Amino acid sequence: MAPSGEAGLRRICAVIDLLLDAVDEETLLPALLPLLLRTVPGDSLTWSTRTPAGRFPVHTPVDLFSPEAVAGFYRHAPADPLFRHTDINGPGVPLRRSDLQSLTEYHRLGTYNEVLGGVHADYQLAMAFPAGWAPTGRRTVCLVVNRSGSDFGQPDLDSAALLRARLSHALDRLAPPPLPQRAALTARESAVLDLLAQGLTDRQIGHRLEVSARTVDKHLEHAYAKLQVHSRVEAAALWQGRPVGTLWQGRPVGS
C-alpha cells in the first residue's frame, strides 16, 4: 500500500501544491485530509489540533469515531506509547506503532479495546508538528493514519517525514501569532513600523514623517522592546503578521 516511484512523488507534490495555494484552514482541511490519506495510504485518519484550550480532533471518514469513543480514547491515552510519542512532550517524528510495541501488547491497551479495535486500526503511523497559533497560544497537530491488514513501510515513513515540515510551515503561515503588543505602541511607533514593513530606510521614514533619522531610530528602539524583537527584519515580519524565525516557534514538540 505504500506510495512508491512516480505515483508516490505525484501525490506528495499534490499535497505541497495544495499547501502553497491555501488561503485559510477552513477550505484547506476538507481537501487536505483525503489527499494525505492517499499519500500515506490507510483506511482512516485523525487530525487532532491541540491548543492550550484543549484538543480538537477531526476524522476521515468524518463519522469514524463517536464523541463517546473519543472521550474513551483520551481516558486510556496516557498509557498508550504512541499517544505519548505525539503528545506535547514527545518527539513527534513519524513513527509506526510497531516500532514501539508488538500487536499483542497493543491489543492489551485500553485505547485498542475500547476504541481503535472497533475501526480495525491494527496498524498506525503517527506524527506531530507545530501548527501556527490560536488566540490562547501555540498549536500543534497530531496526525494518525490507521490501517488493517498490513503494516506501514519505509516509503510511508519517508513520505510522512517529507510532508511534516511542509505542513507545519503552511499552518504557521495560515495561523500567524496574535499581536497583543500592538496596543502598547504609540501612534508614531505604529506609523514608523508601517513604513519599515514597506522596506523604507530610517532616512526615508524620517522624510515621510518629517522627523530626523535619529528620531526614527528612537521610535524603533522603543517598538522593538514592546514587540520583543531585536532587528528590523524581525519587526517587519511580525508587523506583517508572519512567523518570525525562532521568535514565534514557541516550544517545539519534543522539547
Side-chain angles (χ1 to χ4, degrees), residues 120-201:
H120 309 291
D122 285 314
Y123 302 96
Q124 294 185 299
L125 186 154
M127 62 181 177
F129 45 86
W133 288 76
T136 52
R138 195 68 161 112
R139 305 186 315 175
T140 60
V141 161
C142 172
L143 174 62
V144 183
V145 182
N146 306 304
R147 272 189 196 170
S148 62
S150 63
D151 201 358
F152 296 87
Q154 189 60 46
D156 299 305
L157 289 170
D158 293 342
S159 295
L162 186 62
L163 290 174
R164 182 173 179 251
R166 288 162 176 81
L167 288 164
S168 182
H169 179 75
L171 291 165
D172 272 348
R173 175 176 63 84
L174 295 176
L179 295 178
Q181 299 95 332
R182 284 183 186 267
L185 295 169
T186 66
R188 183 48 63 97
E189 289 163 357
S190 296
V192 168
L193 286 168
D194 285 339
L195 296 173
L196 175 69
Q198 296 175 33
L200 274 63
T201 66

Side-chain angles (χ1 to χ4, degrees), residues 14-15 18-19 22 24-39 60:
V15 174
L18 183 65
L19 295 175
D24 59 66
E25 283 186 62
E26 186 177 359
T27 56
L28 171 65
L29 287 185
L32 175 64
L33 299 190
L35 189 55
L36 287 173
L37 196 53
R38 291 194 294 272
T39 306
T60 299

